Amino acid sequence: MAATGAEKSQNSAENSALAVRLAREITGDVFFDEFNRGRYATDASFYQMMPLGVVVPRTMDEALRTLAIAGDAGRIVTPRGGGTSQCGQTVNEGIVVDFSKHLNRVLSLDVENRTCVVEPGIVLDDLNRQLKKHGLWFPVDVSTASRATIGGMAGNNSCGGRSLRYGTMRDNTLSMDAALADGTLLHFGEVPRDLARVNSPDSGLALFRDMLDLGKREAAEIAERFPQVQRRVGGYNLDALVPRNAANNMAHLLVGSEGTLAFTTQVELKLWPIIRNKVLGVCHFGNFYEAMDAAQHLVKLRPIAVELVDRTMIALGREIAMFQPIISTAVRGNPDAVLIVEFAEEDQAENQRRLKQLGELMADLGFGWDKPQRKWGGVVEITEPALQTGIADFRAAGLNVMMSMKQEGKPVSFVEDCAVPLPHLADYTERLNGIFEKHGTRGTMYAHASEGCLHVRPVLNLKLEKDVKAMRAIAEETFEMVREYKGSHSGEHGDGLVRSEFHEAMFGSRIAADFREVKHRFDPDNVLNPGKIVDPPKMDDRSLFRYPPDYRIGELKTALDWSAYPGAGGGFQGAVEMCNNNGACRKLEGGVMCPSYRATRNEKDVTRGRANTLRLAISGQLGPNALASDEMMDTLKLCVSCKACRHECPTGVDMAKMKIEVLAARAATHGLSLRDRLVGYLPRYAGLAARLAPLANWRNGNPSLRKLLEKFAGISAQRALPAFRRDVFRTDAEAFGPESGREVVLFADTFNRAYERENLDAALRVLVEGGYRVHIPKPADHARPLCCGRTFLSAGLVDQARAELDRLVATYAPFAARGVPIVGLEPSCLLTLRDELLSLRSDNDAKSIGMHALLFEEFLVREAEAGRLRLPLGSMPAKALVHGHCHQKSFGAFKPVEKALRLVPDLNVEIIESSCCGMAGAFGYGADTYEASMQMAELSLLPAVRGADQATLIVADGTSCRHQIKDGSGRSALHVARVLAMSLDRAKSNSPLSSHAKEPIHG
């Protein structure tokens, strides 16, 4: 029955009072606004439930205080870690408590006994980084290790790829401390069945006694109805209560309970020695059934994992830049499936022996490279650690690789991780494919073949009622088949909203009643994450879907080309909806994505949070005109347009490009700020500013002008702006070098031309001395110098950017038409020709320019590898510390930087493992973003630079990067072109290296 107006008003007043009280008593973040609530309304499932509010407590006491305050107000509470659940475990309509930002410490570590105690918000990878120096790790190695929290893993009873050896989360959890819904704090650990000498309050002892009695009473039923497979994580772990031993571990009842029984405060874990040696055998199969049938035989060699990758995943991986080289090396031909078999014994000789046995076993099973399709196959041995890591990363990204399909239908998780005994695996998968075909779809399969638990996702469009009906039919038929094989309908990812409905069919009515009894005994008022495991809604209740029946997106006028995707706005809708909340953007180390999240740890500032907000905005769920709203700008404020998500997000969410659309909508609705105009129109006034350089630079030396510009233009008074100079880079001639030399166009970008001409001088000299015919063509319209339009894009001025690129295309097209490389120094400018240009123009001239656009180092390395580069480089017995520009990394163009520097004899090249420098064009100059900019730089870049001695060369290709390094460390960084020019000088002179490092080099 719908609420009346009076009831709604009362609820609103009560909610406001609750928000005020929480904000008053909690020092952490308290969110009750639509935008922040929306960011917590989804997890990695297809569900969406708008929470009443969100609390991000700073301490565990604040988390418990939140539980108490919510209880006083009669509101439900849902604990949340990384928010990566596949089944809707971490979405609900009450108060969401986010443990991941602050409650993430290692509380104690016992190296000798190999145990540790942690707070529930610690991320698995972060924990293992801290354990590594002690030779230990926590081996429940889930594919989401870069963002999965220990609390969430305990809630779902996570398994990981190596559970064949190490077991599940339950097997590695020694104890847990947790609060009941009424605030009672209890220690859940091993207890004797008579509860003698258990240190617990009377209420705790009574609870434990009731649970042990239930286990004794239901022992026979549990033995009969619980699946006898290791990967059974459905329902409550009542088997932990059965009287088998002298003691029972009460924590194992909490593991897998999905936050429905108690509020975890700390977890004690069992640790293992780190894996030191391993080898992989990639077993190829021409027939999928044969691969599944072989799994039961391969495990007899006692590997620690046997992981499946099917032909669909291989094909999708070949389309993802970061995985292409891995697949080309590890995969031979076009197999229907591969099984990745991992051996990791302490003795590497033993690993090699088993790898040899693997090849022999495959032959004994009748497989060979020369056999017909059904028995075609063999083993590719992988012993190189770097390639092993790449394969592991590809396998770990499997769920999201599957989701990278650019179409309305996506692989949907609901029968995802059923587990069956290995002898039945081949028949199960064959029958499962038959079910999919019967309902007009197909499925993707991969993952844990060693334990009969495959990640299976049929392709469906859950915006369509017919596909929702097909989903339900597939679920019912699949679960019936799983029961027939005495398997588990929930083998890894838990129950949540997807599978809880089917517990009674799976376990029987008596066990289902036991589940309800456990829930009521722990949480009689149903406060903790209701609707999961017991008393769930229907799994196909579309009102709980991310795309409910009334989900609509009106036609959008977009500025860029999104035609590779479906949906409104010429495909903009489909691009936004590519985010499936997998949370890979929440990783804290490795790669670049997402630098702002690494600095703030806020859901608002991560790619996933931004994509969710965009989806809610364009679908009208955040009110009218949300796309151009102040709240949307705040959502994107810390996005530095690094483009890392374009490369590192497994589903290819390109937030930098999406931000341009938002900025364009904002500019069209609200106009431009003074700062937008100063930044956007820089290429138009740079020439005038150069002629008036002393006046243009006056602000830098005048504190009053700095403060004035901060007040009226939002440019931080703490920053010195790049200094204009009168001797800008300009040439009278349009070609340099020998007429017979191989042709190349040098793109003189605005930043290097106006501020750091030394880089262009050095690049021109290097190319000419290398024997190239270097063209620097004048614009076809004979007006100001060429520009890529990037500054205009950063202000949302898409039409002006298009006009700049039109001039550039008109000038460069004749060169591209005859195959001449177009070489640039500034990554953000040159790579615009490979990215945004093609989103603004789809003609052949634009495509040709994009194909021929190369960064300076890419060109030199290509020439060197082809044997065409002839540079008389001199020895430089020094060290170069190198920071990569985000766009170089996004386009796979950073490795050539390292290779180009290694052309210099005796130069020791070391890479800084850094994310974004934090300057990011105009971002670091903003008064409102200066602090975030410095936080990003301080994560790894600036400490590494400060730690370098003065003789070390600091190398950075990006204009912004060099300025950030100078501002934050006082050190001057060099473009690679200048380092190579210095090396040319060393070949001709014995002058000290330091003199070249200090003085500009002119070509």
Side-chain angles (χ1 to χ4, degrees):
M1 187 173 176
T4 65
E7 289 171 332
K8 288 181 179 179
S9 178
Q10 181 179 351
N11 286 338
S12 178
E14 291 174 352
N15 292 341
S16 296
L18 175 59
V20 169
R21 184 180 176 191
L22 284 167
R24 184 174 65 245
E25 299 188 31
I26 303 296
T27 64
D29 295 320
V30 175
F31 302 122
F32 273 67
D33 63 286
E34 284 185 315
F35 278 71
N36 276 300
R37 289 163 52 219
R39 288 187 267 269
Y40 284 85
T42 49
D43 54 13
S45 70
F46 54 83
Y47 293 105
Q48 175 175 299
M49 298 178 73
M50 190 67 72
L52 175 66
V54 178
V55 174
V56 187
R58 289 186 178 275
T59 65
M60 192 57 69
D61 284 344
E62 287 194 351
L64 295 173
R65 186 67 189 142
T66 300
L67 176 63
I69 293 171
D72 288 349
R75 300 293 188 265
I76 64 175
V77 174
T78 297
R80 177 168 165 135
T84 59
S85 300
Q86 298 287 322
C87 305
Q89 287 96 325
T90 58
V91 295
N92 225 316
E93 294 174 338
I95 304 297
V96 170
V97 182
D98 183 349
F99 283 78
S100 65
K101 182 174 181 178
H102 298 296
L103 305 180
N104 48 29
R105 296 175 299 161
V106 175
L107 299 175
S108 66
L109 171 62
D110 184 339
V111 174
E112 183 178 353
N113 291 308
R114 300 206 297 249
T115 66
C116 69
V117 178
V118 302
E119 290 182 315
I122 192 168
V123 169
L124 176 59
D125 271 358
D126 190 29
L127 171 62
N128 278 331
R129 277 191 287 269
Q130 296 182 55
L131 295 174
K132 185 176 181 180
K133 60 188 174 185
H134 301 288
L136 299 173
W137 76 312
F138 186 67
V140 185
D141 55 337
V142 294
S143 62
T144 52
S146 64
R147 59 270 196 198
T149 63
I150 292 296
M153 292 169 62
N156 291 347
N157 192 10
S158 296
C159 299
R162 297 181 175 95
S163 59
L164 187 64
R165 169 166 295 183
Y166 297 108
T168 68
M169 190 73 192
R170 170 181 170 178
D171 299 315
N172 292 280
T173 299
L174 300 175
S175 71
M176 299 172 72
D177 285 13
L180 301 182
D182 65 4
T184 301
L185 283 167
L186 297 176
H187 177 74
F188 292 80
E190 210 170 72
V191 298
R193 290 200 66 84
D194 61 5
L195 298 178
R197 295 180 298 280
V198 173
N199 184 18
S200 187
D202 290 344
S203 60
L205 292 174
L207 176 65
F208 296 163
R209 168 55 57 206
D210 288 347
M211 293 299 100
L212 293 172
D213 287 348
L214 184 150
K216 182 178 181 181
R217 184 188 79 215
E218 299 295 338
E221 187 74 5
I222 291 168
E224 173 67 23
R225 299 307 300 253
F226 272 46
Q228 298 303 304
V229 292
Q230 184 188 46
R231 284 176 171 268
R232 180 205 61 73
V233 302
Y236 294 126
N237 290 324
L238 303 186
D239 57 329
L241 306 173
V242 172
R244 294 184 185 133
N245 305 306
N248 293 74
N249 195 324
M250 303 305 295
H252 293 175
L253 185 58
L254 294 190
V255 174
S257 64
E258 302 186 351
T260 63
L261 299 183
F263 204 70
T264 304
T265 60
Q266 63 183 46
V267 187
E268 183 185 14
L269 303 172
K270 176 183 178 181
L271 307 177
W272 293 71
I274 201 165
I275 293 176
R276 300 191 183 280
N277 297 303
K278 64 181 177 180
V279 295
L280 303 181
V282 182
C283 299
H284 289 56
F285 298 87
N287 178 273
F288 187 85
Y289 183 93
E290 292 289 343
M292 296 299 91
D293 190 55
Q296 61 184 309
H297 304 292
L298 302 185
V299 297
K300 294 175 184 176
L301 296 177
R302 292 179 291 121
I304 69 169
V306 180
E307 298 287 286
L308 165 70
V309 178
D310 76 354
R311 68 161 51 245
T312 302
M313 185 173 165
I314 292 170
L316 289 170
R318 281 174 169 152
E319 296 175 6
I320 299 173
M322 65 189 297
F323 296 132
Q324 286 170 354
I326 296 162
I327 294 172
S328 66
T329 304
V331 178
R332 180 171 171 178
N334 291 295
D336 213 26
V338 300
L339 292 177
I340 303 168
V341 183
E342 181 177 5
F343 300 104
E345 302 305 313
E346 187 70 23
D347 181 5
Q348 186 70 341
E350 175 62 17
N351 291 328
Q352 293 288 352
R353 188 179 71 82
R354 294 195 196 181
L355 193 57
K356 182 174 182 293
Q357 289 178 329
L358 180 65
E360 294 168 349
L361 178 57
M362 286 286 287
D364 290 344
L365 293 173
F367 297 101
W369 298 116
D370 58 345
K371 296 294 180 67
Q373 185 72 18
R374 189 170 183 88
K375 284 293 183 177
W376 175 88
V379 181
V380 173
E381 298 183 356
I382 307 293
T383 58
E384 182 188 345
L387 185 55
Q388 291 174 358
T389 299
I391 292 171
D393 290 344
F394 175 57
R395 216 295 300 158
L399 286 177
N400 307 308
V401 170
M402 296 300 187
M403 297 299 288
S404 65
M405 297 179 177
K406 296 176 181 179
Q407 59 186 48
E408 289 277 13
K410 294 284 195 299
V412 179
S413 172
F414 62 101
V415 292
E416 160 126 321
D417 55 337
C418 300
V420 298
L422 269 181
H424 300 303
L425 184 60
D427 288 338
Y428 167 70
T429 53
E430 185 169 60
R431 290 175 64 185
L432 191 58
N433 278 324
I435 292 174
F436 295 160
E437 187 176 349
K438 171 184 172 183
H439 293 286
T441 186
R442 67 190 191 283
T444 60
M445 297 186 189
Y446 82 102
H448 317 301
S450 57
E451 298 184 275
C453 177
L454 299 184
H455 293 319
V456 180
R457 291 190 171 200
V459 177
L460 297 166
N461 179 6
L462 295 189
K463 296 174 185 174
L464 303 177
E465 179 65 24
K466 70 177 184 65
D467 279 21
V468 175
K469 289 180 178 178
M471 177 178 72
R472 178 160 200 96
I474 290 169
E476 291 175 346
E477 293 174 35
T478 299
F479 294 155
E480 182 180 354
M481 181 169 57
V482 170
R483 289 195 299 276
E484 177 187 331
Y485 289 124
K486 299 188 182 306
S488 170
H489 69 320
S490 185
E492 180 170 16
H493 292 153
D495 302 325
L497 296 168
V498 172
R499 282 187 282 268
S500 295
E501 176 193 345
F502 297 97
H503 285 337
E504 189 155 351
M506 179 59 62
F507 293 101
S509 57
R510 183 168 171 176
I511 293 293
D514 292 335
F515 290 162
R516 288 191 290 273
E517 180 181 338
V518 170
K519 169 67 172 173
H520 186 263
R521 183 63 182 84
F522 270 82
D523 182 22
D525 296 323
N526 208 23
V527 170
L528 295 173
N529 204 23
K532 320 295 161 49
I533 301 182
V534 301
D535 300 325
K538 292 289 186 183
M539 61 92 74
D540 54 341
D541 181 351
R542 293 187 69 192
S543 69
L544 303 178
F545 281 18
R546 193 181 301 190
Y547 307 118
D550 60 350
Y551 182 82
R552 298 286 185 278
I553 294 181
E555 193 49 47
L556 298 167
K557 185 179 184 300
T558 51
L560 304 177
D561 179 12
W562 299 95
S563 59
Y565 302 90
F572 182 60
Q573 172 189 353
V576 171
E577 290 174 358
M578 285 300 291
C579 178
N580 68 347
N581 269 33
N582 68 76
C585 42
R586 288 172 62 97
K587 65 183 178 182
L588 299 175
E589 286 194 10
V592 177
M593 179 178 70
C594 175
S596 50
Y597 174 74
R598 294 182 183 190
T600 71
R601 305 286 182 93
N602 291 330
E603 184 70 18
K604 172 177 72 72
D605 299 321
V606 73
T607 305
R608 177 180 76 175
R610 295 174 183 127
N612 272 323
T613 307
L614 279 170
R615 177 179 53 79
L616 293 167
I618 63 177
S619 59
Q621 298 180 68
L622 297 177
N625 303 316
L627 193 64
S629 66
D630 292 343
E631 292 87 350
M632 181 59 72
M633 287 306 299
D634 184 58
T635 300
L636 289 171
K637 183 171 75 173
L638 298 190
C639 173
V640 293
S641 298
C642 65
K643 300 191 183 184
C645 49
R646 172 193 175 278
H647 177 65
E648 296 175 29
C649 171
T651 58
V653 172
D654 190 344
M655 190 52 58
K657 189 174 174 183
M658 293 175 189
K659 183 176 180 179
I660 293 172
E661 287 291 355
V662 175
L663 292 170
R666 177 79 176 182
T669 305
H670 298 283
L672 297 176
S673 67
L674 178 56
R675 185 170 72 182
D676 290 335
R677 293 182 184 280
L678 288 172
V679 172
Y681 284 92
L682 171 64
R684 302 274 176 90
Y685 66 77
L688 176 62
R691 290 193 292 272
L692 303 173
L695 182 61
N697 298 331
W698 189 21
R699 172 262 181 201
N700 281 352
N702 189 312
S704 298
L705 282 179
R706 284 191 178 212
K707 291 178 181 177
L708 201 62
L709 204 59
E710 177 171 298
K711 180 178 180 180
F712 289 104
I715 295 174
S716 173
Q718 299 181 74
R719 289 281 193 193
L721 293 173
F724 287 102
R725 52 198 293 175
R726 285 176 170 168
D727 61 331
V728 298
F729 179 86
R730 60 170 63 93
T731 61
D732 294 325
E734 293 193 33
F736 302 83
E739 291 188 10
S740 60
R742 290 176 61 82
E743 291 184 292
V744 61
V745 171
L746 180 60
F747 173 27
D749 63 272
T750 299
F751 302 111
N752 283 302
R753 193 177 61 244
Y755 301 125
E756 296 181 88
R757 68 163 296 167
E758 293 86 359
N759 299 326
L760 287 165
D761 290 332
L764 179 57
R765 177 185 168 195
V766 169
L767 292 171
V768 168
E769 292 204 24
Y772 295 95
R773 181 66 170 172
V774 185
H775 299 278
I776 308 179
K778 298 288 193 295
D781 60 7
H782 303 290
R784 65 187 177 279
L786 295 175
C787 170
C788 70
R790 171 144 302 282
T791 59
F792 289 114
L793 291 173
S794 72
L797 298 170
V798 177
D799 289 340
Q800 288 86 338
R802 184 182 286 108
E804 293 297 328
L805 284 166
D806 286 345
R807 297 175 63 243
L808 183 146
V809 169
T811 306
Y812 287 167
F815 293 95
R818 62 176 193 266
V820 178
I822 299 164
V823 175
L825 302 187
E826 171 56 39
S828 62
C829 294
L830 186 282
L831 293 171
T832 299
L833 310 186
R834 295 203 327 226
D835 190 7
E836 288 88 354
L837 170 60
L838 305 180
S839 294
L840 293 169
R841 293 180 54 151
S842 58
D843 57 285
N844 289 333
D845 283 347
K847 292 176 182 177
S848 180
I849 287 171
M851 288 174 57
H852 290 91
L854 293 168
L855 285 168
F856 178 70
E857 298 87 357
E858 289 182 298
F859 173 74
L860 291 181
V861 169
R862 189 179 76 173
E863 293 295 288
E865 291 177 348
R868 295 190 293 261
L869 186 64
R870 298 288 184 268
L871 273 178
L873 297 174
S875 173
M876 291 175 61
K879 179 179 178 180
L881 194 60
V882 188
H883 165 71
H885 190 285
C886 295
H887 293 186
Q888 286 176 322
K889 295 173 182 175
S890 173
F891 285 84
F894 180 52
K895 193 66 177 176
V897 175
E898 182 180 355
K899 289 182 177 180
L901 287 170
R902 293 194 188 281
L903 295 174
V904 178
D906 301 320
L907 183 63
N908 177 19
V909 181
E910 181 179 322
I911 305 302
I912 302 173
E913 292 298 327
S914 54
S915 180
C916 179
C917 74
M919 185 64 87
F923 178 86
Y925 294 102
D928 56 344
T929 52
Y930 171 79
E931 291 298 334
S933 167
M934 296 309 298
Q935 283 180 312
M936 293 179 202
E938 292 290 356
L939 289 174
S940 58
L941 172 59
L942 291 181
V945 172
R946 293 192 198 104
D949 59 46
Q950 290 299 309
T952 295
L953 301 177
I954 309 300
V955 181
D957 277 355
T959 298
S960 296
C961 306
R962 292 191 294 273
H963 282 253
Q964 181 76 309
I965 290 168
K966 180 69 173 178
D967 279 5
S969 71
R971 296 290 300 273
S972 295
L974 301 172
H975 191 283
V976 171
R978 293 191 63 193
V979 178
L980 293 176
M982 291 163 63
S983 179
L984 291 173
D985 281 348
R986 293 284 288 182
K988 298 176 181 178
S989 167
N990 293 321
S991 58
L993 177 63
S994 58
S995 67
H996 296 288
K998 293 176 182 176
E999 297 300 324
I1001 298 169
H1002 298 273

